[in-house]
Amino acid sequence: MGADILIVDDEREIADLVEVYLRNEGYTIHKFYTAGEALSCVRSRKLDLAILDVMLPDMDGFTLCQKIRADHLFPILMLTAKVEDMDKITGLTLGADDYITKPFNPLELVARVKTQLRRYLRYNPSSGSETQAYDIRGLQISKTTHTCLLYGEPLSLTPLEFSILWYLCSRQGQVVSSEELFEAVWGEKYMDSNNTVMSHIARLREKMHENSRKPKFIKTVWGVGYTIG
């Protein structure tokens, strides 16, 4: 089944290249060179994934990511020519699901898009599935309905955030290392210098209104990993 993908990059050669590779995979592409045009598309169409350049002429990609994430949960992949770790952490903290630096191999980009779409579609409701859910002291999470409630109030989680929380809940009482969590959720080899897990845990805690020093749910076991107990 084809997915609808938004591409936003003012470097037309790159946008065109990405479009060609993704169209070859059967995806429907909505390509724009400015953030303003992209936001109009987001408001009028049902999208399954967005690829955003960080440097845009009318609005930076991080701000665009925030605006999209305020109302939509589909995966967002950031493109940038910057390689500094803080740029990566900023993008992920604002709600991006993945990050790739220019220049990049188009086949790698396609592979990452497929990974994000598989995760996103996996957690969409599917008929005939047996309900799988956890209720941990007021934190309720259902895999088949892709819903998460905290004390009865819905949490607005991206598919990636949902995957992280589900994985931790499914191992309630166990300590899950950053390496295990990354490789299970992202499906890639973990690198020692990777700050991705930490930044996503921080965002989850923020959404859950957790005190980072004394969290009630996602607890850090220093030097080991994370646990929900």
Side-chain angles (χ1 to χ4, degrees):
M1 181 178 65
D4 282 64
I5 297 178
L6 172 70
I7 299 173
V8 192
D9 196 320
D10 64 333
E11 293 186 69
R12 294 173 182 257
E13 296 83 358
I14 292 179
D16 293 345
L17 178 67
V18 174
E19 178 185 22
V20 167
Y21 273 83
L22 293 179
R23 282 195 187 278
N24 286 340
E25 297 295 327
Y27 301 129
T28 299
I29 304 301
H30 308 277
K31 180 180 64 177
F32 302 97
Y33 306 117
T34 67
E37 292 174 311
L39 285 173
S40 296
C41 177
V42 170
R43 296 186 187 108
S44 62
R45 295 183 178 273
K46 183 182 182 300
L47 300 171
D48 298 297
L49 182 140
I51 300 172
L52 313 179
D53 185 33
V54 170
M55 302 300 291
L56 295 170
D58 54 338
M59 179 189 303
D60 70 80
F62 293 141
T63 301
L64 176 58
C65 176
Q66 275 187 301
K67 288 181 177 293
I68 293 175
R69 188 57 79 221
D71 298 305
H72 301 279
L73 297 176
F74 55 75
I76 298 175
L77 192 154
M78 305 295 293
L79 298 179
T80 183
K82 298 181 179 179
V83 296
E84 290 85 351
D85 284 344
M86 283 309 299
D87 286 331
K88 181 171 184 177
I89 292 171
T90 298
L92 295 172
T93 301
L94 293 175
D97 297 279
D98 202 358
Y99 186 99
I100 190 167
T101 54
K102 300 176 182 179
F104 55 84
N105 184 328
L107 295 177
E108 179 186 356
L109 177 63
V110 170
R112 294 199 185 197
V113 165
K114 288 182 176 180
T115 297
Q116 293 297 330
L117 286 173
R118 278 197 302 269
R119 183 182 298 121
Y120 180 53
L121 297 174
R122 181 193 312 155
Y123 290 114
N124 274 350
S126 58
S127 59
S129 299
E130 181 181 352
T131 300
Q132 293 178 277
Y134 295 97
D135 188 341
I136 303 174
R137 302 190 318 278
L139 174 64
Q140 299 172 303
I141 185 168
S142 170
K143 188 173 184 179
T144 52
T145 61
H146 194 254
T147 56
C148 185
L149 303 176
L150 183 60
Y151 304 127
E153 295 295 323
L155 290 178
S156 179
L157 304 180
T158 68
L160 191 56
E161 291 164 351
F162 186 94
S163 299
I164 294 169
L165 192 56
W166 176 264
Y167 193 85
L168 290 174
C169 288
S170 70
R171 285 152 181 77
Q172 180 184 0
Q174 303 176 32
V175 180
V176 178
S177 68
S178 295
E179 178 179 0
E180 177 187 346
L181 188 58
F182 183 86
E183 293 185 357
V185 174
W186 278 263
E188 300 175 11
K189 186 66 178 175
Y190 179 81
M191 306 296 290
D192 288 341
S193 60
N194 198 316
N195 292 310
T196 304
V197 172
M198 180 178 65
S199 62
H200 277 84
I201 291 292
R203 182 167 175 80
L204 266 173
R205 284 173 171 161
E206 180 182 345
K207 288 188 173 183
M208 296 168 70
H209 306 293
E210 288 265 71
N211 183 332
S212 60
R213 294 183 180 275
K214 294 183 178 180
K216 295 180 181 179
F217 293 99
I218 305 176
K219 300 177 182 178
T220 301
V221 180
W222 295 108
V224 184
Y226 303 95
T227 183
I228 288 183

